[in-house]
Each structure stands twice: as C-alpha cells, then as structure tokens.
C-alpha cells in the first residue's frame, strides 16, 4: 500500500446508535495492524438526534482525517436512509453495508417530509455492491439489540484487509470487560454473514 | 508506544507534560474535552469550570502571575468574552507559562458564527500556535508554554473542529517540572495605570520583534522542498488537505504562525516559481505575504467561507490550472431523503415550555444552548439568538423600543450563570417589564453535561455550594420569582399566562434535570391506544423524536420514549397512556 492507497471507511447513522464506538474499534484495529490512523467524528449540536457520521482512514501515512467524496472503500449505515444521504462518499465499486433499520426523523412526523417506502430498491440502484440486512435483528438474536453496531462492523471487516486478530484485540480494548464476549460474538455474526 | 488521541486529548496531555498545574475554562464545542481530559490528571493539575470565559481567563492569569503554568480553554466566541483580560494581559505579561487554548469552528458545526481567532493573536500582539494534528497539538502546547515563559507573554494555541475532534497517533512523554509559585510584588510590572502602562506598551512591541526571530527558527515552522514549480504556504488542518491535493508541491508549513517568520517566508518564496496560500477562514497569512511584497494566490482560488476539504482543494487546483472543476457526483434520490436535523431529545424538559409559549402572541428572544433547538419546527418558538446572555438583555431592548407584543427572554441555567445576571440587573434597574424564563436542566447540556455553579459539583469531582437561580433573581431586584415544574403542562401554561400579564419584570425558573445526563427515564414509557386515537396528530406538534408520524396514526417508539408524559397531556382524546399498549 502506498501513501495514495489510504483505506477510508465512512460509518453513518443516527445519534445514539453506537457509531462512535464502532469507529473507535475500527481505528484501534488498524493501529493494532501497524498502520497510521486518523478518524473524525462530530460532537455538540450536530449530535442531538441528527445524522451522525464517523470517518476512519488508515494506511502507511494518512494526511486528511476527512474522507474525500467518492473515495471510501466502505460506507456502512446503521439507518437505511442515512446510507443514501452519504452515498457520495463511497468510491466507485465500493462496498455499502446497510442495516435495514428505519428511524423516523421529526421532519417526517410533523409532515414536512416523507420517509421513502421503497428504500431497498433505492439502495440497490445507488449501490452496485450492497449488503442489506437487519443488524438489529441479528443482534437481538444473540441477546442484545444494542450490539447492532458491532454486527455491522463484522460486515465492514470483510471489506478491509485487517487481520482477524487485530479486530479481536481492538474489541477487547474498546468495550467494557463484561461485554467483550457478546461483542466478539456480534462481530462474528456480521463477519460470517457475507 | 503511540496512542490514538483526539486533538483535545492531546492538548490536555501536552499541558500535563508541560508541568501545567492550573487549567480553567468554560465548555464550548469544539474545545470542551481539553479541560475534561486535563482534569483526569488531578491532583497534579487543578481544573475548574468557571462561570464564563472571562473569569476563566482571569483565574488562569492570576495563577500565571503567581508563577504557576496555566492554560485556559474556550471556543472561538468565548475568546470574545475574554478579550478584555487578553488585551491587557499582553501588556503586563506572566511569570508562569500561560496559554489560551481556543478552538475555532469553520463550517459552523456547533456555533453561531465562523470567526477566525488567529486575528486575536495579532490584535493582542502575542505568539500564535496552530497544530494540524494530535501530535502537534501536544507538542505545540508545550512549545507555547515554553515561549510564553521565555518572553513572559501569554500565547494562543488555536485549534479547529477538525483538529480538536480528529484522532491521530501521539507519542507520550514524561511530565516536566512545575513552575515555582510565589508572587513577587512589582507594581511597574503588574499595574498598568498609564504611568506604568506606557512603558509596557513599548515592551510589547520589542517583545514581538524578538519573538519573530524565534518563530523564524522554530521547528514548528518548516519548509518541505519538493518540486519548485509551486510552493504552498499553509497552516493547521489545511496542510493535510493540501498535501493530498498537491503531493508534488513544496510546502512552507506554519505552526508558530504569529509573529510571522518573515525570513523563512522570503527564503521559501525565493525557492519556488509561484506561491499559493491555503488557509481556512480569513486570509490571515495571505495578507501578510502580500504585505511582504511577495506575489501569491490564495483567496482567489481557495474559499474563505466554511471549512476546507480535499474536495474543495481539488476544485481550487483545477481553477488554478485553468481546468474545469471535477464534477461532483449528485446524491441520487436527494429529494426523497428526509432531512434529519438535531432535535430536543425525548423527555427534554424544555419541550413543554416552548409548546406553552406557542400559545401566546409574544416575541421570544433566545439564547445559546440545547434550547436553541426550540427555534425549529414544529415548536418554532424562539425568534432571536445573538450570543450568551443576550436572550435576557435583548428582551429588555425590544420592550423599551416600544415593541407592542410582550417580549419573553429565554435562557438556560449555565448560560444565566455565564452572562445573564448582569442582564437581569439591567431589567430591574431600568424599570423594564420583560418576562424572563430560565430553562434550568441542572447541567451544561449541549456541550456534554458539564457542571456549573448551580449543580453542587466541581470539575474536580467535589461537592460544593449549589447556587439558587431564584435567589439570584431576588437579589437582582425581581419581585416576581416563580419556580415551576416544566413537565406539568397545564401548570406551566398557567404560570406563563399570569407572568405575561404582569406589569413588572418576572423570572420563571422551570427546573428539571436533563434525562440524558441522569441516564434514566422521566416516567413510564407511553403508548398510543390505536382504538381511542382519532388521528388528530396534536401529539406530533410537540416535536418529540419518539413519536413517529407519517402513517395513518402516530405511534410511540418504546425504545426512544423517555416517559415524560408531555404527549399524554396534549392528547385531547386520552389515547396516550402509561405502561405500553392497553
């Protein structure tokens, strides 16, 4: 990998879905694998129930912490229309991992906008390489719906060249001890799903 | 061993390593986590949230005059509040190293304006450091403390949202020795009455010249020679964007950027065929390069409004080279993607107050905090925002100007302590009749739940006196001071109606702790009984993200619902009940 071959991942969702933890684990895994790493996330006003985006870049030497448009190898979304909103970050031929969760924005509730009914078809049009699945349902099956972010991360891991043990060490470092097993399991579910 | 740290964590680490013993500040995105992280080094470092940035600045200045190394943290607009002590601390100087850590917000992610704080360094005639990543954030903070101490001058470390909130790898070092505390009386040095102030004024200019010599040889300013056809002068995060867009170009990267390293700028200019200045916000460097008589490009191709990015610089490069800008791929289905703006959280105690205010034909002058979100539809009940504390003073201004409607000022608890108290005094002293509403959620919520003088806790984690807002109101001369529960809607509406009708100033304090901070529901989760619901959608008018509309009848998302019961109180048919579907 050369300096130009920085690997970029964009994680999107809605405030409170665990995007930031997933971002931290990915960054930690890249670091465990010996790469230079930069990440960016949004705080404050931008976080109150609004769209949330985290960006992670790694490689031999990373400059910008922000992912340029049309350059991410992976776009992963914990909320399905958020994948569409940030679709222009994905490189041509990049992998879109989208969880089928739908969270209604307030703008839809008070009638200023509509939540599209045919999101799956739209996703298929926009993303030639699409993994569309219900991460929340998968997480529920292994015992905790809140692990949906880590299930999604398991899918993401299939599109990146980081070794499995780097991911496992990263999870062990980033989550509280009593949740490590659950999260490792959630990660496996995602990784084996593809 | 390298650690992945945010810029703010790295600044805190730098302060720790530099032997800083006092850290003060007022929370403000994107600066807040600096002090939160520095406080983790207690008891070696004393940290406090001060009521506002001016006080924080003065506390840190006092510590530095006594000989301690000190930092003060704030967001860009906070430096406006602290500008008064900044301008004169430059004159009297410091004993221990003193660095004001200021975080700008290009792109206005969480701010009401987009000012470029680098101008303050030139304004106050003090050194300026601009880190571009976390390693530099740590290194430059230490360098700033050292330069401050060497010249007995305060310094500014200027970060931006992307520097503060990006994570990158940092090598840690040991803590150095602390400053020696013991104030040495010296009135001509510390008392800027004119007879002593005028010589200080001279010393500031002499100091700047000596500091310029230092910036010219500082490792924070460096030339990277590559191809000599184009030379780029840049600073802060813009350096990293530019490196990706012009990998072949030579760079002059400024880190100790004021006083400008003129000798270095001349050396760089004479080594390249043409110069482009790439900087975010103001043309701070560019104007100086031009003043040196050096031809350059900059603002003519690089935008000065909103934050830069690799994408924007790709377009700038195309323009520079006379090519068409790369086409931006349009987002497909853009018109079908519903907007998802930030909103008041489920269970937010502010929601009902805005809903109640919506029943009155009044002007609402608002303020800075989570409750700024009350300006959005469907609540739509805030008409102005200026700056911290202005919600109170502007209400009075509108009223004395002769506004025919009643004017209501809305302010948060932390904001009231920050700069609302003088506004309260103004209203009573000058015989105003405004109604002031304090939305008291017992925390500084928007920036991530920091303590303040009303919470009874300090940043050091100790219990302390909890100042009563009602007592402040009475002490400021308010005869009508009412405490109310924002979750009891009928009562809240009645209180607001009564106080609006009063012909004298009144202060209503709506108190309830922020459920997000308490990490627990306000009450039982609510549900809508579909057989009772008539589909009137009045419950959607409160703008709660837990109530999902858009279908035939609204429904409540049981995971999001915080159980505040506001929807139950606005439902005219009694369809909303506690404890799930009946």
């Amino acid at each position: 990998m050369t300096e130009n071959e920085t690997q970029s991942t964009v994680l999107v969702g809605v405030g409170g879905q665990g995007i930031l933890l997933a971002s931290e684990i990915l960054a930690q895994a890249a670091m465990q694998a010996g790469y230079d790493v930069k990440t960016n996330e949004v705080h404050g006003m931008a976080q109150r129930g609004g769209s949330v985006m985290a960006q992670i870049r790694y490689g031999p030497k990373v400059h910008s912490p922000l992912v340029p448009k049309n350059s991410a190898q992976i776009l992963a979304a914990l909320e399905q229309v958020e994948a569409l909103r940030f679709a222009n970050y994905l490189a041509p031929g990049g992998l879109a991992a989208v969880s089928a969760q739908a969270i209604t924005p307030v703008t839809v509730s008070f009638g200023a906008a509509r939540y599209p009914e045919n999101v799956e078809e739209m996703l298929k049009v926009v993303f030639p390489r699409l993994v569309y699945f219900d991460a929340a349902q998968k997480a529920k099956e292994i015992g905790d719906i809140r692990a949906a972010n880590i299930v999604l991360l398991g899918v993401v891991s299939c599109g990146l060249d980081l070794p499995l043990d780097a991911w496992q060490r990263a999870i062990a470092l980033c989550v509280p001890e009593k949740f490590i097993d659950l999260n490792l399991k959630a990660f496996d579910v995602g990784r084996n799903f593809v | 061993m390298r650690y992945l740290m945010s810029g703010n964590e790295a600044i805190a680490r730098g302060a720790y390593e530099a032997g800083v013993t006092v850290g003060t500040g007022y929370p403000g995105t994107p600066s807040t986590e600096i002090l939160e992280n520095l406080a983790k080094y207690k008891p070696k470092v004393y940290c406090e949230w001060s009521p506002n940035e001016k006080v924080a600045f003065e506390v840190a200045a006092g510590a530095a005059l006594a000989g301690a190394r000190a930092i003060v943290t704030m967001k860009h607009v906070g430096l406006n509040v602290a500008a008064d002590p900044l301008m004169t601390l430059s004159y009297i100087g410091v004993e221990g190293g003193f660095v004001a850590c200021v975080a700008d917000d290009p792109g206005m992610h969480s701010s009401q304006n987009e000012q470029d704080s680098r101008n303050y360094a030139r304004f106050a005639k003090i050194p300026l450091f601009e880190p571009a990543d976390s390693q530099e954030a740590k290194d430059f903070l230490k360098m700033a403390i050292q330069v401050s101490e060497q010249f007995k001058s305060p310094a500014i470390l200027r970060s931006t949202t992307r520097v503060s909130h990006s994570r990158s790898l940092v090598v840690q070092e040991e803590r150095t020795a602390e400053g020696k505390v013991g104030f040495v009386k010296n009135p001509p040095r510390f008392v800027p009455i004119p007879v002593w102030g005028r010589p200080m004024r001279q010393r500031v200019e002499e100091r700047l010249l000596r500091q310029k010599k230092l910036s010219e040889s500082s490792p924070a300013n460096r030339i990277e020679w590559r191809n000599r056809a184009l030379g780029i002068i840049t600073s802060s995060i813009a350096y990293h964007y530019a490196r990706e867009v012009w990998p072949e170009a030579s760079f002059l990267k400024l880190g100790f950027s004021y006083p400008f390293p003129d000798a270095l700028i001349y050396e760089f200019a004479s080594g390249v065929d043409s110069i482009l200045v790439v900087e975010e916000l103001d043309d701070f460097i560019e104007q100086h390069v031009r003043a040196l008589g050096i031809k350059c490009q900059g603002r003519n191709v690089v935008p000065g409004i909103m934050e830069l990015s690799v994408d924007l610089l790709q377009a700038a490069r195309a323009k520079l080279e006379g090519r068409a800008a790369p086409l931006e791929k349009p987002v497909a289905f853009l018109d079908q993607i519903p907007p998802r703006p930030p909103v008041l959280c489920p269970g937010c105690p502010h929601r009902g107050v805005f809903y109640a205010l919506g029943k009155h034909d009044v002007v609402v002058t608002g303020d800075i905090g989570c409750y700024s979100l009350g300006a959005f539809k469907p609540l739509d009940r805030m008409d102005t925002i200026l700056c911290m504390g202005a919600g109170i003073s502007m209400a009075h201004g509108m009223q004395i100007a002769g506004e025919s409607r009643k004017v209501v000022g809305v302010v948060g608890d932390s904001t009231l302590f920050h700069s609302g108290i003088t506004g309260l005094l103004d209203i009573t002293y000058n015989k105003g009749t405004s109604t002031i509403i304090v939305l008291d959620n017992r925390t500084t919520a928007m920036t991530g739940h920091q303590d303040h003088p009303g919470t009874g806790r300090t940043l050091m984690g100790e219990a302390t006196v909890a100042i009563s807002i009602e007592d402040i109101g009475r002490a400021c001369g308010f005869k009508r001071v009412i405490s109310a529960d924002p979750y009891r809607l009928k009562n809240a509406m009645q209180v607001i109606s009564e106080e609006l009708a009063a012909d004298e100033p009144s202060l209503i304090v709506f108190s309830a702790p922020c459920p997000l901070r308490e990490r627990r529901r306000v009450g039982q989760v609510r549900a809508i009984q579909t057989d009772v619901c008539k589909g009137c959608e009045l419950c959607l008018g409160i703008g709660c993200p837990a109530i999902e509309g858009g279908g035939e009848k609204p429904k409540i998302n049981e995971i999001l619902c915080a159980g505040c019961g506001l929807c139950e109180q606005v439902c005219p048919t009694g369809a909303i009940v506690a404890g799930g579907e009946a």
Side-chain angles (χ1 to χ4, degrees), chain A residues 14 20 23 26 51-52 72 80 83 87 95 102 104 113 119 128 130 132 146-147 167 170 190:
Chain A
V14 177
L20 298 187
S23 160
L26 202 171
S51 302
V52 172
Q80 51 184 10
L95 172 71
T104 310
V119 178
L130 173 70
Y132 182 69
R146 286 171 301 180
W167 287 103

Coordinates of all heavy atoms in Angstrom, one line a residue, chain A residues 14 20 23 26 51-52 72 80 83 87 95 102 104 113 119 128 130 132 146-147 167 170 190:
Chain A
V14 N -27.7 7.4 13.2 CA -28.4 8.5 14.0 C -27.9 8.5 15.4 O -27.5 7.5 15.9 CB -30.0 8.2 14.0 CG1 -30.7 9.2 14.8 CG2 -30.5 8.1 12.6
L20 N -20.0 5.9 17.2 CA -18.6 6.3 17.7 C -17.8 5.1 18.2 O -16.6 5.0 18.0 CB -18.8 7.4 18.7 CG -19.4 8.7 18.2 CD1 -19.4 9.8 19.2 CD2 -18.8 9.2 16.8
S23 N -16.5 3.2 15.3 CA -15.4 3.9 14.8 C -14.1 3.7 15.6 O -13.0 3.5 15.0 CB -15.8 5.4 14.7 OG -14.6 6.2 14.6
L26 N -12.7 0.2 14.9 CA -12.0 0.1 13.6 C -10.7 0.8 13.6 O -9.7 0.2 13.2 CB -12.9 0.8 12.5 CG -12.7 0.4 11.1 CD1 -13.8 0.9 10.2 CD2 -11.4 0.7 10.5
S51 N -28.3 13.3 12.1 CA -27.4 12.3 11.4 C -26.1 12.4 12.0 O -25.6 13.4 12.3 CB -27.3 12.8 9.9 OG -28.6 12.8 9.3
V52 N -25.4 11.2 12.1 CA -24.1 11.1 12.7 C -23.2 10.4 11.7 O -23.6 9.4 11.1 CB -24.1 10.4 14.0 CG1 -22.7 10.1 14.5 CG2 -24.9 11.1 15.1
A72 N -14.3 6.5 -0.4 CA -14.4 5.5 0.7 C -14.5 4.1 0.1 O -15.3 3.8 -0.8 CB -15.5 5.8 1.6
Q80 N -31.1 3.1 7.3 CA -31.0 2.9 5.9 C -31.1 4.2 5.0 O -30.3 4.3 4.1 CB -32.1 1.9 5.4 CG -33.5 2.3 5.9 CD -34.6 1.3 5.6 OE1 -34.3 0.2 5.1 NE2 -35.8 1.6 5.8
A83 N -27.7 5.9 4.7 CA -26.8 5.4 3.7 C -26.9 6.2 2.4 O -26.0 6.5 1.7 CB -27.0 3.9 3.4
A87 N -24.2 8.7 0.4 CA -23.8 7.8 -0.7 C -22.6 8.3 -1.5 O -21.8 7.6 -2.0 CB -24.9 7.5 -1.6
L95 N -18.0 -0.9 -1.2 CA -19.0 -1.8 -0.6 C -19.9 -1.0 0.3 O -19.4 -0.2 1.2 CB -18.3 -2.9 0.2 CG -19.2 -3.7 1.1 CD1 -20.0 -4.7 0.3 CD2 -18.3 -4.5 2.2
A102 N -35.0 1.5 10.3 CA -35.6 2.8 9.8 C -36.0 3.6 11.0 O -36.8 3.1 11.9 CB -36.9 2.5 9.0
T104 N -37.6 7.2 12.1 CA -38.3 8.3 11.5 C -37.8 9.6 12.1 O -37.8 9.9 13.3 CB -39.8 8.2 11.9 OG1 -40.3 6.9 11.6 CG2 -40.7 9.2 11.1
A113 N -41.7 16.3 5.6 CA -41.0 15.4 4.6 C -41.6 14.0 4.7 O -42.4 13.7 5.7 CB -39.5 15.3 5.0
V119 N -37.1 2.0 0.2 CA -35.6 2.2 0.4 C -34.8 1.1 -0.2 O -33.7 1.4 -0.8 CB -35.4 2.4 1.9 CG1 -33.9 2.6 2.2 CG2 -36.2 3.6 2.5
P128 N -24.1 -0.7 -6.3 CA -24.0 -1.9 -7.0 C -23.5 -3.0 -6.1 O -23.9 -4.2 -6.3 CB -22.9 -1.6 -8.1 CG -22.9 -0.1 -8.2 CD -23.3 0.4 -6.9
L130 N -23.9 -4.1 -2.6 CA -24.7 -3.8 -1.4 C -24.9 -5.0 -0.5 O -25.2 -6.1 -1.0 CB -26.1 -3.3 -1.8 CG -27.1 -3.1 -0.7 CD1 -26.8 -1.9 0.2 CD2 -28.5 -2.9 -1.3
Y132 N -27.3 -5.7 2.4 CA -28.5 -5.1 3.1 C -29.1 -6.2 4.0 O -29.5 -7.3 3.6 CB -29.5 -4.7 2.0 CG -30.8 -4.1 2.5 CD1 -30.7 -2.8 3.1 CD2 -32.0 -4.7 2.5 CE1 -31.9 -2.2 3.6 CE2 -33.2 -4.1 2.9 CZ -33.1 -2.8 3.5 OH -34.2 -2.2 4.0
R146 N -28.5 -3.8 21.3 CA -27.5 -2.7 21.2 C -26.2 -3.0 20.5 O -25.4 -2.2 20.2 CB -27.2 -2.1 22.6 CG -28.4 -1.3 23.2 CD -28.2 -1.0 24.7 NE -28.0 -2.3 25.5 CZ -27.9 -2.3 26.8 NH1 -27.7 -1.2 27.5 NH2 -27.8 -3.5 27.4
A147 N -26.0 -4.3 20.3 CA -24.8 -4.8 19.6 C -24.9 -4.7 18.1 O -24.0 -5.2 17.4 CB -24.4 -6.2 20.1
W167 N -8.8 -7.1 14.9 CA -10.2 -6.8 15.2 C -10.5 -7.3 16.6 O -11.1 -6.6 17.4 CB -11.1 -7.4 14.2 CG -11.2 -6.8 12.9 CD1 -10.6 -7.3 11.7 CD2 -11.8 -5.6 12.5 NE1 -10.8 -6.4 10.7 CE2 -11.5 -5.4 11.1 CE3 -12.5 -4.6 13.2 CZ2 -12.0 -4.3 10.4 CZ3 -13.0 -3.5 12.5 CH2 -12.8 -3.3 11.2
A170 N -8.8 -5.3 19.2 CA -9.4 -3.9 19.3 C -10.7 -4.0 20.1 O -11.0 -3.1 20.9 CB -9.7 -3.4 17.9
G190 N -21.6 -10.8 12.1 CA -21.5 -9.9 10.9 C -20.5 -10.4 9.9 O -20.7 -10.4 8.7

